[in-house]
Amino acid sequence: MNIKTPQLSDYQKQMIDSPLNTITEAGTKIGKTVSHMWWLFREAQQPHVQVGWNYWWVAPINEQAKIAFNRICAKIKGNPNYTIYNSSPYTIVTPKGSKIVFRSGDDPDSLYGEDVYGVVIDEGSRMKEGAFHAILSTTTATNGRIRCIGNMRGIDNWYYQLARKVQDGLLPTWEHFKFTADDAVKAG
Protein backbone atom coordinates (compact mmCIF):
# COMPACT_ATOMS: atom_id res chain seq x y z
CA MET A 1 0.00 0.00 0.00
CA ASN A 2 1.39 3.38 -0.96
CA ILE A 3 0.43 6.39 1.17
CA LYS A 4 1.38 9.80 -0.18
CA THR A 5 3.03 11.93 2.49
CA PRO A 6 1.66 15.48 2.59
CA GLN A 7 4.08 18.28 1.83
CA LEU A 8 4.96 19.77 5.20
CA SER A 9 7.00 22.84 6.09
CA ASP A 10 10.09 22.57 8.27
CA TYR A 11 8.22 23.90 11.29
CA GLN A 12 5.42 21.37 10.80
CA LYS A 13 8.00 18.58 10.63
CA GLN A 14 9.57 19.86 13.86
CA MET A 15 6.23 19.55 15.65
CA ILE A 16 5.44 16.03 14.51
CA ASP A 17 8.92 14.50 14.44
CA SER A 18 9.78 15.25 18.05
CA PRO A 19 10.40 12.07 20.07
CA LEU A 20 8.84 13.81 23.09
CA ASN A 21 5.32 14.81 24.01
CA THR A 22 4.66 18.24 22.55
CA ILE A 23 2.61 21.34 23.19
CA THR A 24 2.26 23.86 20.39
CA GLU A 25 1.01 27.41 20.67
CA ALA A 26 0.20 28.72 17.22
CA GLY A 27 -1.98 31.05 15.25
CA THR A 28 -4.87 29.93 13.13
CA LYS A 29 -4.34 28.43 9.69
CA ILE A 30 -0.65 27.61 10.08
CA GLY A 31 -1.10 23.88 9.50
CA LYS A 32 -1.42 22.42 12.98
CA THR A 33 -4.35 20.21 12.08
CA VAL A 34 -3.05 18.84 8.78
CA SER A 35 0.40 18.07 10.17
CA HIS A 36 -1.01 16.35 13.24
CA MET A 37 -3.57 14.37 11.25
CA TRP A 38 -0.60 13.01 9.32
CA TRP A 39 1.30 12.30 12.56
CA LEU A 40 -1.60 10.31 14.03
CA PHE A 41 -2.25 8.45 10.77
CA ARG A 42 1.47 7.60 10.47
CA GLU A 43 1.81 6.56 14.13
CA ALA A 44 -1.13 4.16 13.92
CA GLN A 45 0.59 2.28 11.09
CA GLN A 46 4.19 1.97 12.27
CA PRO A 47 5.78 -1.49 11.89
CA HIS A 48 5.63 -2.23 15.64
CA VAL A 49 1.91 -1.41 15.94
CA GLN A 50 -0.35 -4.32 16.89
CA VAL A 51 -3.97 -5.20 16.24
CA GLY A 52 -6.33 -3.31 18.54
CA TRP A 53 -3.96 -0.51 19.50
CA ASN A 54 -5.80 2.80 19.96
CA TYR A 55 -4.78 6.19 18.62
CA TRP A 56 -6.98 9.14 19.47
CA TRP A 57 -7.83 12.56 18.12
CA VAL A 58 -9.56 14.43 20.96
CA ALA A 59 -11.25 17.78 20.38
CA PRO A 60 -13.32 19.89 22.80
CA ILE A 61 -16.60 18.79 21.19
CA ASN A 62 -17.69 16.04 18.83
CA GLU A 63 -18.26 18.36 15.87
CA GLN A 64 -14.62 19.49 15.99
CA ALA A 65 -13.34 15.91 16.18
CA LYS A 66 -15.42 15.09 13.12
CA ILE A 67 -13.56 17.75 11.08
CA ALA A 68 -10.28 15.81 11.34
CA PHE A 69 -12.11 12.51 10.79
CA ASN A 70 -13.71 13.77 7.59
CA ARG A 71 -10.41 15.14 6.29
CA ILE A 72 -8.59 11.84 6.77
CA CYS A 73 -11.52 9.88 5.33
CA ALA A 74 -11.40 12.06 2.21
CA LYS A 75 -7.75 11.05 1.72
CA ILE A 76 -8.37 7.30 2.08
CA LYS A 77 -11.76 7.22 0.37
CA GLY A 78 -12.16 4.14 -1.78
CA ASN A 79 -9.13 2.38 -0.30
CA PRO A 80 -10.38 -1.10 0.66
CA ASN A 81 -7.59 -1.51 3.23
CA TYR A 82 -9.35 0.82 5.69
CA THR A 83 -12.63 0.33 7.50
CA ILE A 84 -14.51 3.50 8.42
CA TYR A 85 -17.21 3.79 11.07
CA ASN A 86 -19.24 6.97 10.57
CA SER A 87 -20.91 7.10 13.96
CA SER A 88 -19.62 8.45 17.24
CA PRO A 89 -16.95 7.72 18.16
CA TYR A 90 -15.82 8.11 14.56
CA THR A 91 -13.27 5.40 13.87
CA ILE A 92 -10.86 4.31 11.16
CA VAL A 93 -9.45 0.79 11.37
CA THR A 94 -6.09 0.61 9.62
CA PRO A 95 -4.75 -2.34 7.62
CA LYS A 96 -2.65 -3.23 10.70
CA GLY A 97 -5.83 -3.52 12.77
CA SER A 98 -5.07 -0.46 14.88
CA LYS A 99 -7.82 2.10 15.44
CA ILE A 100 -7.77 5.85 14.94
CA VAL A 101 -10.64 7.15 17.04
CA PHE A 102 -11.98 10.71 16.96
CA ARG A 103 -13.46 11.69 20.32
CA SER A 104 -14.87 14.59 22.27
CA GLY A 105 -13.21 15.78 25.44
CA ASP A 106 -16.45 17.40 26.59
CA ASP A 107 -17.05 14.65 29.17
CA PRO A 108 -13.61 13.83 30.62
CA ASP A 109 -14.97 10.75 32.41
CA SER A 110 -15.71 9.16 29.02
CA LEU A 111 -11.99 9.17 28.19
CA TYR A 112 -10.85 6.85 30.97
CA GLY A 113 -10.34 3.13 30.53
CA GLU A 114 -8.63 2.48 27.20
CA ASP A 115 -4.93 1.99 26.59
CA VAL A 116 -3.89 4.59 24.04
CA TYR A 117 -0.60 4.68 22.14
CA GLY A 118 -0.80 8.17 20.64
CA VAL A 119 -3.09 11.17 21.08
CA VAL A 120 -3.61 14.53 19.44
CA ILE A 121 -5.33 17.01 21.72
CA ASP A 122 -6.86 19.46 19.27
CA GLU A 123 -7.77 22.98 20.42
CA GLY A 124 -6.30 22.18 23.82
CA SER A 125 -6.77 25.71 25.16
CA ARG A 126 -10.51 25.24 24.72
CA MET A 127 -10.65 21.82 26.36
CA LYS A 128 -11.47 21.02 29.95
CA GLU A 129 -8.48 20.29 32.17
CA GLY A 130 -10.12 17.04 33.26
CA ALA A 131 -9.88 15.76 29.69
CA PHE A 132 -6.12 16.32 29.73
CA HIS A 133 -5.76 14.33 32.97
CA ALA A 134 -7.90 11.51 31.56
CA ILE A 135 -5.74 11.41 28.43
CA LEU A 136 -2.58 11.26 30.57
CA SER A 137 -4.03 8.24 32.35
CA THR A 138 -4.74 6.44 29.06
CA THR A 139 -1.17 6.86 27.82
CA THR A 140 0.73 6.10 31.02
CA ALA A 141 0.84 2.29 30.73
CA THR A 142 1.56 2.37 26.99
CA ASN A 143 4.08 5.22 27.11
CA GLY A 144 1.95 6.74 24.36
CA ARG A 145 2.94 10.12 23.02
CA ILE A 146 0.76 13.21 23.26
CA ARG A 147 0.58 16.10 20.82
CA CYS A 148 -1.26 19.19 22.13
CA ILE A 149 -2.13 21.82 19.53
CA GLY A 150 -4.07 25.02 19.87
CA ASN A 151 -4.30 28.77 19.87
CA MET A 152 -3.60 30.57 23.11
CA ARG A 153 -6.78 31.65 24.78
CA GLY A 154 -5.95 33.57 27.92
CA ILE A 155 -3.53 32.71 30.69
CA ASP A 156 -5.91 31.22 33.23
CA ASN A 157 -6.15 27.69 31.84
CA TRP A 158 -4.31 24.38 32.02
CA TYR A 159 -3.01 24.67 28.43
CA TYR A 160 -1.24 27.97 29.08
CA GLN A 161 0.17 26.68 32.38
CA LEU A 162 1.44 23.47 30.76
CA ALA A 163 3.05 25.45 27.94
CA ARG A 164 4.91 27.62 30.47
CA LYS A 165 6.14 24.59 32.44
CA VAL A 166 7.38 22.92 29.26
CA GLN A 167 8.90 26.14 27.95
CA ASP A 168 10.74 26.61 31.26
CA GLY A 169 12.18 23.08 31.08
CA LEU A 170 10.25 21.78 34.06
CA LEU A 171 8.87 18.76 32.18
CA PRO A 172 11.79 16.99 30.48
CA THR A 173 9.59 14.55 28.56
CA TRP A 174 7.85 17.44 26.77
CA GLU A 175 8.84 19.89 24.05
CA HIS A 176 7.32 23.34 23.43
CA PHE A 177 6.70 24.97 20.05
CA LYS A 178 5.36 28.39 19.19
CA PHE A 179 4.58 29.49 15.64
CA THR A 180 2.89 32.54 14.18
CA ALA A 181 1.30 33.49 10.89
CA ASP A 182 4.65 35.08 9.98
CA ASP A 183 6.31 31.66 10.30
CA ALA A 184 3.70 30.20 7.96
CA VAL A 185 4.21 32.98 5.40
CA LYS A 186 8.01 32.56 5.52
CA ALA A 187 7.59 28.81 4.99
CA GLY A 188 5.44 29.44 1.92
Side-chain angles (χ1 to χ4, degrees), residues 61 95 115 137 141 143:
I61 59 173
D115 290 334
S137 79
N143 201 28

Side-chain angles (χ1 to χ4, degrees), residues 36-37 39-40 56-59 118-122 147-149:
H36 286 77
M37 287 183 332
W39 176 80
L40 194 64
W56 284 359
W57 184 279
V58 183
V119 179
V120 173
I121 298 175
D122 185 23
R147 297 284 188 263
C148 297
I149 57 175

Side-chain angles (χ1 to χ4, degrees), residues 162-176:
L162 178 64
R164 301 294 70 81
K165 287 178 184 176
V166 174
Q167 190 176 32
D168 293 343
L170 300 175
L171 299 172
T173 60
W174 285 78
E175 188 169 6
H176 174 265

Side-chain angles (χ1 to χ4, degrees), residues 126-137:
R126 290 167 167 76
M127 195 172 300
K128 296 175 183 176
E129 184 174 0
F132 175 67
H133 293 293
I135 289 166
L136 283 176
S137 79

Side-chain angles (χ1 to χ4, degrees), residues 13-76:
K13 291 175 189 173
Q14 279 183 295
M15 289 186 287
I16 66 170
D17 289 341
S18 173
L20 303 173
N21 296 317
T22 65
I23 185 164
T24 300
E25 302 174 270
T28 60
K29 305 303 176 198
I30 68 136
K32 299 179 301 291
T33 300
V34 72
S35 60
H36 286 77
M37 287 183 332
W38 171 246
W39 176 80
L40 194 64
F41 187 78
R42 181 182 73 182
E43 287 296 302
Q45 298 179 84
Q46 292 293 319
H48 67 277
V49 170
Q50 297 180 23
V51 171
W53 282 16
N54 291 291
Y55 293 82
W56 284 359
W57 184 279
V58 183
I61 59 173
N62 203 38
E63 289 79 12
Q64 287 171 309
K66 193 173 180 183
I67 293 168
F69 171 76
N70 286 336
R71 289 180 183 177
I72 292 178
C73 287
K75 296 291 183 187
I76 61 173

